[in-house]
């Protein structure tokens, strides 16, 4: 039987793929156990509540279009500094506004941004494709974005 500082009882835990009802044991501010027998100095009843691993900021600006990379104003943060700052404040997931290069299609934009985020980010990232020029070719990709499950395919 593990003894912890805090037990969060009977919450619906949001995992990467499903919701699971379980108890969570926290020691020194760190989740040390999920499920099993737990005894804690303090307990919270989370019955009927969703327990998330951290906050979500669904609208951030951590990257610019390659065409604007030398332009002013520049974003203050990139994926590295932005995810560090977010995590320091309890935000574990960031939704970046992804701007295309001139003539770049939305899927190509997301592929480029995904590569950068995978190298730089330490938080979870999802990407919002920004449509600057709604050309017929760009508009034709919108159903493809949905079909490929942008939120699933492009999370780091």
């Amino acid at each position: 039987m593990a003894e912890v500082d805090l037990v969060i009882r009977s919450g619906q835990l949001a995992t990467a793929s499903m919701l699971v009802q379980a108890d969570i044991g926290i020691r020194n501010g760190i989740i040390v156990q999920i499920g099993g027998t737990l005894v804690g100095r303090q307990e919270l009843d989370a019955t009927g509540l969703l327990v998330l691993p951290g906050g979500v900021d669904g609208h951030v600006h951590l990257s610019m279009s390659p065409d604007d990379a030398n332009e002013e104003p520049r974003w203050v943060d990139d994926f590295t500094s932005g995810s560090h700052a977010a995590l320091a404040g309890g935000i574990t997931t960031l939704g970046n506004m992804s701007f295309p290069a001139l003539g770049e299609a939305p899927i190509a934009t997301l592929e480029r941004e995904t590569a950068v985020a995978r190298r730089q980010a330490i938080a979870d990232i999802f990407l919002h494709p920004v449509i600057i020029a709604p050309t017929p070719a760009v508009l034709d990709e919108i159903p493809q974005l949905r079909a490929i499950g942008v939120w699933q395919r492009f999370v780091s």
Side-chain angles (χ1 to χ4, degrees), residues 17 26 36 38-39 52-53 56 66 71 113 117 121 123 140 147 155-156:
S17 60
I26 300 171
L38 290 162
V39 175
L52 300 173
V56 176
E71 302 283 325
E113 291 275 296
D140 285 346
V155 173
S156 66

Side-chain angles (χ1 to χ4, degrees), residues 64 67-76:
M64 298 179 71
D67 301 326
D68 298 327
N70 296 318
E71 302 283 325
E72 292 293 331
R74 300 220 8 112
W75 305 133
V76 174

